[in-house]
Amino acid sequence: MLQWLFATLHLLALGCGLGALAARARNLAPPLDAPALTRCLRADNWWRLSLLLWLCSGAGLAYYHAAMLWQQGRPVPLATAKLLGMMLLLLLEWRSRPLISQCRQRLERGRLPADELCARLARQSRRQLLLLLLLLLLSSAWQTGAFNTP
């Protein structure tokens, strides 16, 4: 029962995260105004919540499926690729945090962020979105057993 709950939360968080990243990137498109920036920051809040749920539920699923991570004393290549992709996603998120903070601070002061700052954040968001889609492809390939031949 708990495994089913983790899987449900994992898929729900993935869907919310994909939508939030897409909204964050879309709302940073020029011409930027205060309402669009507010929507971008709201989407970022949803992305952070879904990322937290996604990581926690993924850790719970990994606990239940620990045997799937290793076969014949070696790590499964797709599992390793997925873990490396998740680390890259977290690195990209860590790099985008200062950009988001700058946007929040400028909006609180009643100013709009510079176009270059918004363009960098939009590029980061698109990269994260593509990486999240790649992780989805890796996960589905892993769960179906593709490329897991000994």
Side-chain angles (χ1 to χ4, degrees):
M1 180 73 166
L2 193 58
Q3 183 179 352
W4 171 76
L5 181 63
F6 281 141
T8 302
L9 284 175
H10 200 66
L11 289 175
L12 180 66
L14 178 68
C16 287
L18 285 170
L21 279 175
R24 187 171 84 176
R26 184 182 60 243
N27 285 312
L28 288 169
L32 188 66
D33 57 355
L37 188 59
T38 303
R39 288 190 304 269
C40 167
L41 296 176
R42 191 175 309 124
D44 181 65
N45 291 338
W46 278 102
W47 163 238
R48 286 189 296 167
L49 175 66
S50 63
L51 182 63
L52 179 69
L53 276 175
W54 187 57
L55 291 174
C56 291
S57 62
L61 287 172
Y63 174 76
Y64 282 104
H65 298 288
M68 289 179 63
L69 299 173
W70 292 86
Q71 287 181 353
Q72 300 174 349
R74 294 181 305 153
V76 175
L78 285 176
T80 305
K82 184 178 176 187
L83 291 174
L84 289 173
M86 288 171 35
M87 289 173 50
L88 182 59
L89 182 70
L90 291 174
L91 177 66
L92 288 174
E93 181 60 23
W94 178 70
R95 289 184 65 200
S96 69
R97 283 295 101 206
L99 302 176
I100 290 288
S101 295
Q102 288 177 15
C103 287
R104 286 186 195 279
Q105 289 170 356
R106 288 180 186 243
L107 189 62
E108 287 172 359
R109 289 187 218 137
R111 296 184 357 222
L112 289 177
D115 289 339
E116 177 58 31
L117 176 68
C118 292
R120 284 178 50 204
L121 186 56
R123 279 193 305 273
Q124 285 286 92
S125 298
R126 285 191 293 273
R127 286 183 192 129
Q128 286 177 297
L129 183 62
L130 288 174
L131 187 56
L132 196 56
L133 287 170
L134 178 66
L135 287 172
L136 178 64
L137 289 173
L138 285 172
S139 294
S140 61
W142 180 25
Q143 292 299 319
T144 60
F147 311 111
N148 286 348
T149 57

